[in-house]
Amino acid sequence: MSENPTHDKLPIRMLHDRVLVRSDSPEGERRSGGGILIPATAAVGKRLAWAEVVAVGQNVRTVEPGDRVLYDPEDRAEVEVRGMTYVLMRERDLHAVAAERLEGSKDSTGLYL
Protein backbone atom coordinates (compact mmCIF):
# COMPACT_ATOMS: atom_id res chain seq x y z
CA MET A 1 0.00 0.00 0.00
CA SER A 2 1.70 3.20 -1.13
CA GLU A 3 1.25 6.44 0.77
CA ASN A 4 0.12 9.44 -1.25
CA PRO A 5 2.07 12.54 -0.08
CA THR A 6 -0.33 14.93 -1.88
CA HIS A 7 -3.46 13.92 0.08
CA ASP A 8 -3.09 16.94 2.40
CA LYS A 9 -3.03 19.36 -0.55
CA LEU A 10 -6.46 18.40 -1.87
CA PRO A 11 -9.25 20.99 -1.62
CA ILE A 12 -11.74 20.39 1.18
CA ARG A 13 -15.49 20.96 0.89
CA MET A 14 -17.74 20.68 3.92
CA LEU A 15 -20.81 18.49 3.51
CA HIS A 16 -24.44 18.95 4.55
CA ASP A 17 -24.87 21.10 7.70
CA ARG A 18 -21.25 20.94 8.88
CA VAL A 19 -19.31 24.02 9.96
CA LEU A 20 -15.52 24.21 10.32
CA VAL A 21 -14.27 26.84 12.78
CA ARG A 22 -10.94 28.06 14.16
CA SER A 23 -11.03 28.79 17.88
CA ASP A 24 -10.18 32.35 18.96
CA SER A 25 -8.58 31.40 22.25
CA PRO A 26 -6.01 28.69 22.80
CA GLU A 27 -6.65 26.05 25.43
CA GLY A 28 -4.89 26.53 28.72
CA GLU A 29 -4.25 29.65 30.74
CA ARG A 30 -6.31 32.78 30.14
CA ARG A 31 -6.52 36.28 31.56
CA SER A 32 -9.51 37.89 33.24
CA GLY A 33 -10.66 41.38 32.25
CA GLY A 34 -8.67 42.76 35.20
CA GLY A 35 -5.47 41.04 34.04
CA ILE A 36 -5.46 38.17 36.53
CA LEU A 37 -3.92 34.98 35.13
CA ILE A 38 -6.36 32.03 35.43
CA PRO A 39 -4.65 28.62 35.17
CA ALA A 40 -6.03 25.93 32.87
CA THR A 41 -6.70 23.71 35.89
CA ALA A 42 -9.07 26.24 37.52
CA ALA A 43 -12.61 24.92 37.78
CA VAL A 44 -15.15 27.16 36.08
CA GLY A 45 -18.77 26.71 35.18
CA LYS A 46 -19.86 25.80 31.71
CA ARG A 47 -18.11 28.33 29.48
CA LEU A 48 -18.88 28.96 25.82
CA ALA A 49 -16.16 30.04 23.38
CA TRP A 50 -15.91 32.23 20.28
CA ALA A 51 -14.50 30.99 16.99
CA GLU A 52 -14.17 32.14 13.39
CA VAL A 53 -16.03 30.20 10.68
CA VAL A 54 -13.58 28.87 8.08
CA ALA A 55 -15.86 26.72 5.87
CA VAL A 56 -19.53 25.69 5.69
CA GLY A 57 -21.49 22.89 4.02
CA GLN A 58 -24.09 23.48 1.30
CA ASN A 59 -27.04 23.13 3.73
CA VAL A 60 -25.80 25.75 6.21
CA ARG A 61 -28.14 28.76 6.18
CA THR A 62 -27.21 31.13 9.01
CA VAL A 63 -23.42 31.47 8.95
CA GLU A 64 -20.80 32.30 6.35
CA PRO A 65 -17.01 32.02 6.33
CA GLY A 66 -15.56 34.93 8.29
CA ASP A 67 -18.43 35.10 10.83
CA ARG A 68 -17.70 34.71 14.55
CA VAL A 69 -19.78 32.08 16.30
CA LEU A 70 -20.40 31.09 19.90
CA TYR A 71 -20.18 27.37 20.66
CA ASP A 72 -19.74 24.92 23.53
CA PRO A 73 -16.11 23.69 23.51
CA GLU A 74 -17.12 20.49 25.32
CA ASP A 75 -19.26 19.37 22.34
CA ARG A 76 -16.62 19.38 19.65
CA ALA A 77 -14.65 17.24 17.27
CA GLU A 78 -11.17 18.51 16.46
CA VAL A 79 -9.43 17.95 13.16
CA GLU A 80 -5.95 18.93 12.01
CA VAL A 81 -5.57 20.30 8.48
CA ARG A 82 -2.15 21.40 7.22
CA GLY A 83 -0.80 21.74 10.74
CA MET A 84 -3.72 23.89 12.02
CA THR A 85 -6.29 22.59 14.49
CA TYR A 86 -9.95 23.25 13.67
CA VAL A 87 -13.26 22.33 15.29
CA LEU A 88 -15.91 20.51 13.24
CA MET A 89 -19.56 20.78 14.28
CA ARG A 90 -23.12 20.88 13.01
CA GLU A 91 -24.84 24.21 12.44
CA ARG A 92 -27.43 23.40 15.12
CA ASP A 93 -24.62 23.22 17.73
CA LEU A 94 -23.89 26.94 17.34
CA HIS A 95 -25.39 29.28 19.95
CA ALA A 96 -24.91 32.72 18.36
CA VAL A 97 -23.49 34.49 15.30
CA ALA A 98 -21.64 37.81 15.31
CA ALA A 99 -21.16 39.43 11.90
CA GLU A 100 -21.27 42.97 10.51
CA ARG A 101 -23.78 41.82 7.87
CA LEU A 102 -26.31 41.19 10.68
CA GLU A 103 -26.24 44.81 11.90
CA GLY A 104 -29.66 46.40 11.57
CA SER A 105 -31.41 43.18 10.57
CA LYS A 106 -34.85 42.53 12.03
CA ASP A 107 -33.68 39.49 14.06
CA SER A 108 -30.73 41.30 15.63
CA THR A 109 -31.16 42.00 19.34
CA GLY A 110 -28.64 44.85 19.50
CA LEU A 111 -27.07 43.24 22.56
CA TYR A 112 -23.33 43.17 23.02
CA LEU A 113 -22.10 39.80 24.24
Side-chain angles (χ1 to χ4, degrees):
M1 193 165 159
S2 66
E3 190 170 322
N4 184 357
T6 62
H7 72 282
D8 62 342
K9 298 190 187 286
L10 294 174
I12 298 172
R13 180 178 55 156
M14 303 305 295
L15 299 176
H16 311 296
D17 64 341
R18 301 303 195 275
V19 178
L20 188 68
V21 300
R22 182 176 49 236
S23 180
D24 287 354
S25 60
E27 292 294 319
E29 296 179 344
R30 61 186 193 279
R31 289 205 179 268
S32 70
I36 298 171
L37 185 66
I38 302 169
T41 57
V44 294
K46 190 166 185 165
R47 184 176 187 92
L48 300 177
W50 287 100
E52 179 184 352
V53 176
V54 177
V56 297
Q58 69 268 22
N59 293 339
V60 174
R61 297 179 183 182
T62 57
V63 297
E64 297 175 1
D67 289 352
R68 287 176 40 91
V69 293
L70 190 63
Y71 73 101
D72 184 356
E74 293 179 9
D75 299 332
R76 68 180 183 180
E78 289 186 353
V79 62
E80 187 173 323
V81 179
R82 297 182 185 142
M84 295 282 297
T85 302
Y86 297 95
V87 178
L88 177 65
M89 63 187 67
R90 292 180 181 267
E91 182 181 21
R92 68 178 179 222
D93 295 331
L94 301 175
H95 296 278
V97 180
E100 287 187 21
R101 65 184 168 76
L102 300 175
E103 191 173 331
S105 66
K106 64 179 177 172
D107 59 349
S108 176
T109 63
L111 296 176
Y112 294 95
L113 297 178

